[in-house]
Amino acid sequence: MTFLTLVRHGQTDWNLQRRIQGSTDIPLNDTGRGHARDAAALLADGTHHAIYASPLVRARQTAEIIAESLGLPSPGLSPDMREREFGEAEGMLVADYLDQYGGWQAEVPGAESLAVVRDRALDALDAIARDARERSAPYAESVIVVTHGGVIRSLLDHASGGTLPGEGVMLPNGSVHRFEAAPGVLRLLETAAV
């Protein structure tokens, strides 16, 4: 068994402007660096053995701030924990996206489906958890994974049987979501602590 704490990256200027980032590589802003420090403070009450991050700069910067604050080694990068590819919609204002496409389940040219995002993220978490178990067997390991709102949303949907998060519920930047992972199983323990 491995405990996985997923953290949404801190705020970027595009988050502030309500633009769809997808795979566009946007850095944290000052508020986002504060979100990372706040997440680190929230995580300081537990023991964590490793930290991983999406390779996108906003997640990587958040993970680096958390790692430094908690005295963890530099984050490992997990390419499949990157944000959903939004294709032609990347850079659009959310309001314009919703007007043009009607919702988050819409088919957008060049965009990944939420099912594809979920499947690649589950595979990545399985690899992260397997690595943690191999290092610490037979003991449980606690790992932090810094990723993106769309990825966390797809995993919450999966682990809750489609009940979380609610339609239109935003996952705050810097929010913390705790899961328990075993081979082939991802169980939600707690969500959206900030």
Side-chain angles (χ1 to χ4, degrees):
M1 171 179 53
T2 305
F3 295 103
L4 298 170
T5 302
L6 274 59
V7 178
R8 184 177 180 211
H9 64 79
Q11 185 186 74
T12 69
D13 287 343
W14 277 24
N15 288 139
L16 187 60
Q17 297 165 10
R18 305 265 307 132
R19 287 191 184 281
I20 296 173
Q21 293 178 106
S23 63
T24 304
D25 215 3
I26 308 295
L28 295 178
N29 59 24
D30 288 339
T31 300
R33 286 185 282 282
H35 288 143
R37 289 188 293 274
D38 292 344
L42 186 64
L43 296 168
D45 67 348
T47 300
H48 307 283
H49 303 98
I51 187 167
Y52 290 80
S54 153
L56 295 176
V57 68
R58 58 194 182 267
R60 199 174 68 241
Q61 289 174 329
T62 302
E64 289 166 353
I65 291 168
I66 292 171
E68 182 178 343
S69 178
L70 299 181
L72 293 170
S74 295
L77 299 182
S78 179
D80 285 338
M81 293 305 292
R82 72 189 180 283
E83 182 58 291
R84 178 184 181 192
E85 303 266 349
F86 269 92
E88 291 180 4
E90 292 204 15
M92 289 181 77
L93 293 171
V94 170
D96 293 343
Y97 171 88
L98 293 173
D99 284 347
Q100 182 169 341
Y101 295 107
W104 299 110
Q105 299 286 346
E107 290 189 27
V108 177
E112 288 180 290
S113 71
L114 291 174
V116 167
V117 173
R118 177 201 62 225
D119 291 348
R120 71 169 159 79
L122 285 169
D123 287 346
L125 289 180
D126 187 52
I128 289 167
R130 186 174 52 251
D131 182 56
R133 284 190 301 272
E134 288 172 1
R135 285 195 322 261
S136 65
Y139 305 104
E141 187 88 358
S142 178
V143 178
I144 300 165
V145 182
V146 181
T147 187
H148 306 270
V151 174
I152 296 170
R153 180 174 286 281
S154 72
L155 294 168
L156 288 171
D157 180 74
H158 171 76
S160 72
T163 63
L164 292 173
E167 184 68 30
V169 172
M170 294 230 1
L171 303 179
N173 291 102
S175 59
V176 173
H177 313 268
R178 292 189 167 114
F179 296 84
E180 180 182 82
V185 176
L186 185 67
R187 188 167 71 91
L188 179 63
L189 301 175
E190 178 185 9
T191 187
V194 289

